[in-house]
Amino acid sequence: MVNFTILAGGYTSFIASYMFNSETNDLTYLNQYITGGNPTWIISHPTNKSVLYAVNENEPTGALQSFAVGPEGALTLVETAYSGGSGPPYCSGLSTGQVAIVNYGSGTARVIPTTDPLHFSADDSTIVTFPVPTAGTQGVSEPHMVYQYSEELLIPDKGNDKIWRLGQNGSPGDFSVHGQIAQPIGSGPRHIQIYENQLYTIHELASTLTLQDFPAYPNFSTPIISNVSTVPNYQPAGSSFAAAEVLIPLPTAEFPTPYIYTSNRNTGVQDPRGDTIAIFEKVDNQLVLRNQVYTGLNQIRGMMHGQQAGEGGDAYIVAAGFAGTAGVKVYKRTEGGANLEEVAVNTELPTRTSFVWLKQ
């Protein structure tokens, strides 16, 4: 038997904890821990699972918080720092010990040095402001994620239809834009993954998943190799889709194929079966849809695979809706990962937006 702790952020003033028993398929609500407002994105330190970072997606002043993680996911708030702008939807600990955060509401980003994983040195950090988009795009910069790849930081900007490339200028906390990767106009790039030096991008406005070779610096772009819709074939009248998340769990002996999992959000008239998780496979450099898994969830903003918890976790994905009352659901990967089976649900909290897996 393997028990996992799942931490869950959301549009509240707390982070919730759950226990998932993989033998009995029980998902038990454990506790909640007070945070700043709207910890909508949470993420573990890249090497130290006893440290958690969370955004406070507040307007006009966002924040970054650090927490010490105890048994069963018990959280102790340690420090809070200004995010450098408004409405931060994403943060990420870096291999350098710094923590990066982006601000959707103000078109800015900040990389904050640390004195140790729990303590920030925010005075040593500059704020990066992204350009106002040109005609034909959203009209405002809307950075939505930060992804470290080698020594670069990649930031998808939904408003600019670009993925910004940031580099450190010298001292920690001093970053600037040194390149960009162009994306289809009007597509709204939201989140990305890189696997085997290929870039997978989920586009919110177009509800598409694209594949391209990652361009070597300082190239601005490479051709889109494959561009597919994430939306299910049946669309209720009055529906309006906005894709949100993309995951690529690393291959294992049990799951040798690196399937791509994307979440759909229908922000209009709901299908009674809920929103789907679309599962893709790369075949001969083309993205091929393998399954549309209906979840009963309303607007899947965040989901996370259990591989981050270590052995045994790679079989599972947790997801929840931004809206509705369907709660938190755990899915088991089946057919080698080409399909999902719902194995557990807890409805004590109606919505959640992001997750971290920990092994107990």
Side-chain angles (χ1 to χ4, degrees):
M1 180 187 72
V2 179
N3 284 337
F4 298 96
T5 296
I6 300 174
L7 300 174
Y11 282 99
T12 54
S13 293
F14 62 84
I15 294 170
S17 61
Y18 298 82
M19 183 182 71
F20 173 58
N21 183 316
S22 61
E23 182 175 309
T24 63
N25 288 333
D26 288 325
L27 182 63
T28 305
Y29 178 71
L30 296 177
N31 213 331
Q32 61 186 50
Y33 302 95
I34 298 301
T35 66
N38 300 315
T40 56
W41 184 262
I42 60 174
I43 194 166
S44 289
H45 184 278
T47 60
N48 186 348
K49 301 306 180 185
S50 66
V51 175
L52 182 85
Y53 299 118
V55 303
N56 291 166
E57 194 180 337
N58 297 327
E59 297 178 350
T61 305
L64 172 70
Q65 294 190 305
S66 64
F67 297 84
V69 182
E72 295 188 338
L75 298 179
T76 302
L77 174 62
V78 176
E79 196 157 290
T80 302
Y82 172 49
S83 69
S86 173
Y90 200 100
C91 66
S92 181
L94 308 180
S95 63
T96 58
Q98 302 170 89
V99 185
I101 187 167
V102 295
N103 296 284
Y104 181 86
S106 56
T108 58
R110 193 178 195 192
V111 181
I112 300 177
T114 59
T115 55
D116 62 56
L118 286 166
H119 294 90
F120 305 127
S121 181
D123 291 343
D124 299 323
S125 171
T126 56
I127 296 172
V128 178
T129 300
F130 300 110
V132 175
T134 57
T137 58
Q138 288 295 292
V140 291
S141 172
E142 295 172 327
H144 218 292
M145 181 193 194
V146 56
Y147 187 103
Q148 183 179 10
Y149 190 56
S150 187
E151 296 181 355
E152 284 190 291
L153 299 185
L154 306 175
I155 298 181
D157 187 332
K158 190 182 85 173
N160 266 297
D161 293 319
K162 292 179 177 63
I163 298 170
W164 301 110
R165 308 178 73 152
L166 274 63
Q168 185 170 318
N169 296 320
S171 59
D174 185 11
F175 280 72
S176 62
V177 174
H178 67 192
Q180 63 193 49
I181 304 171
Q183 297 298 300
I185 295 298
S187 65
R190 178 184 174 98
H191 281 194
I192 62 173
Q193 295 288 334
I194 297 177
Y195 179 72
E196 293 186 338
N197 206 45
Q198 289 189 304
L199 174 64
Y200 297 78
T201 305
I202 195 79
H203 300 268
E204 177 178 336
L205 300 180
S207 283
T208 55
L209 174 68
T210 60
L211 171 68
Q212 63 193 119
D213 293 327
F214 185 77
Y217 177 80
N219 294 335
F220 281 0
S221 194
T222 50
I224 299 292
I225 300 171
S226 186
N227 185 339
V228 294
S229 173
T230 65
V231 176
N233 286 334
Y234 172 72
Q235 303 169 31
S239 60
S240 178
F241 286 89
E245 185 61 281
V246 55
L247 305 175
I248 309 178
L250 296 176
T252 64
E254 186 178 2
F255 301 99
T257 301
Y259 287 105
I260 305 107
Y261 301 84
T262 67
S263 70
N264 281 300
R265 296 181 302 166
N266 180 357
T267 62
V269 176
Q270 281 284 303
D271 187 310
R273 296 170 293 178
D275 284 332
T276 66
I277 296 173
I279 305 173
F280 295 90
E281 182 182 1
K282 189 188 78 169
V283 180
D284 295 331
N285 251 0
Q286 293 298 304
L287 296 169
V288 178
L289 178 68
R290 291 304 185 208
N291 258 310
Q292 289 277 8
V293 180
Y294 285 89
T295 65
L297 298 169
N298 186 339
Q299 300 181 39
I300 309 170
R301 171 171 168 169
M303 59 182 186
M304 183 55 66
H305 56 80
Q307 195 169 68
Q308 63 181 196
E311 184 179 355
D314 58 349
Y316 300 99
I317 288 176
V318 63
F322 160 78
T325 59
V328 175
K329 296 188 177 186
V330 175
Y331 298 87
K332 187 172 185 177
R333 297 205 282 163
T334 61
E335 302 171 25
N339 208 344
L340 297 173
E341 175 191 2
E342 181 184 316
V343 295
V345 60
N346 186 290
T347 59
E348 291 184 57
L349 295 176
T351 63
R352 294 283 86 189
T353 60
S354 61
F355 300 96
V356 164
W357 287 77
L358 302 167
K359 185 175 286 187
Q360 288 196 343

